[in-house]
Amino acid sequence: GQQLNQSPQSMFIQEGEDVSMNCTSSSIFNTWLWYKQDPGEGPVLLIALYKAGELTSNGRLTAQFGITRKDSFLNISASIPSDVGIYFCAGMNYGGSQGNLIFGKGTKLSVKP
Amino acid sequence: GAGVSQSPRYKVAKRGQDVALRCDPISGHVSLFWYQQALGQGPEFLTYFQNEAQLDKSGLPSDRFFAERPEGSVSTLKIQRTQQEDSAVYLCASSLRDRVNTGELFFGEGSRLTVL
């Protein structure tokens, strides 16, 4: 089946640093989404991308839908402590089962000791 | 409440026991989903309802897993004869009908199942 590869698996941030993570797929998607999950909580949608090449921002977050439709990246500028958590990319195709999102394994953001 | 509500938050079951997990979606959301999230992994799709109709159950891992939503609101995920590999967080999500194809899902906090 379809699989998403997220990198890096984990990273440490210092407040104020910019952060970048990406997601690649073996097959194309029509929609890319980025969700964030805090410990003990469900994922929360951050950004949704619907068109190849689309670049979308949400505050300090910027995400792009790759032109090949097989990848996406998420950037966080000027990170703050509450950015800590696990970030998941997810892909979806039209038709078939709506809401059947394929999730990556996540990128865990932690604070540098 | 304003969000998706799931109960119990934590469930410990002995191998072979049956369990039932409940989901109360956001009021007005006709679409409801169940996902399974193993430790250190992303959520994996189990099943999808639109109102009371189960439109997709392709993600259910075996016939021990059964989901229902008889009145198109609250949903129950039932796992019969639980096994250790069933240990995971079970996430419920809901969505407005016209937002389903956008991937905009609202997740609950999940029910963490541990099978001993």
Side-chain angles (χ1 to χ4, degrees), chain A residues 63-104:
Chain A
Q64 184 156 32
F65 189 146
I67 200 76
T68 65
R69 294 201 281 160
K70 288 186 177 182
D71 63 319
S72 176
F73 73 73
L74 174 71
N75 286 341
I76 305 172
S77 63
S79 56
I80 60 178
S82 61
D83 290 335
V84 162
I86 302 178
Y87 291 79
F88 290 101
C89 62
M92 188 177 79
N93 284 322
Y94 301 144
S97 173
Q98 304 297 337
N100 182 351
L101 304 181
I102 310 296
F103 282 86

Side-chain angles (χ1 to χ4, degrees), chain A residues 35 37 40 92 97-99 101, chain B residues 9 35 37 56 100-101 103 105:
Chain A
Y35 279 82
Q37 188 173 30
M92 188 177 79
S97 173
Q98 304 297 337
L101 304 181
Chain B
R9 288 293 313 277
Y35 281 77
Q37 186 174 24
D56 188 342
V100 167
N101 62 357
L105 306 186

Side-chain angles (χ1 to χ4, degrees), chain B residues 4-5 7 12 20 40 62 72 92 101 115:
Chain B
V4 176
S5 178
S7 61
V12 178
S62 77
C92 178
N101 62 357
V115 181

Side-chain angles (χ1 to χ4, degrees), chain A residues 7-9 39 42-43 46 50 52-54 57 60 64 70 72 77 80 95-96 105 110 113:
Chain A
S7 66
Q9 286 188 335
L46 299 174
Y50 304 111
E54 180 181 0
S57 292
R60 294 179 297 105
Q64 184 156 32
K70 288 186 177 182
S72 176
S77 63
I80 60 178
K105 291 187 177 182
S110 305

Side-chain angles (χ1 to χ4, degrees), chain B residues 85-96:
Chain B
E85 62 260 30
D86 299 335
S87 296
V89 175
Y90 291 86
L91 294 164
C92 178
S94 69
S95 181
L96 289 167

Side-chain angles (χ1 to χ4, degrees), chain A residues 2-3 19-21 24 30-32 62 66 71 77 92 96 102:
Chain A
Q2 292 173 308
Q3 290 189 349
V19 171
S20 186
M21 60 191 79
T24 59
N30 292 317
T31 299
W32 281 92
T62 302
D71 63 319
S77 63
M92 188 177 79
I102 310 296

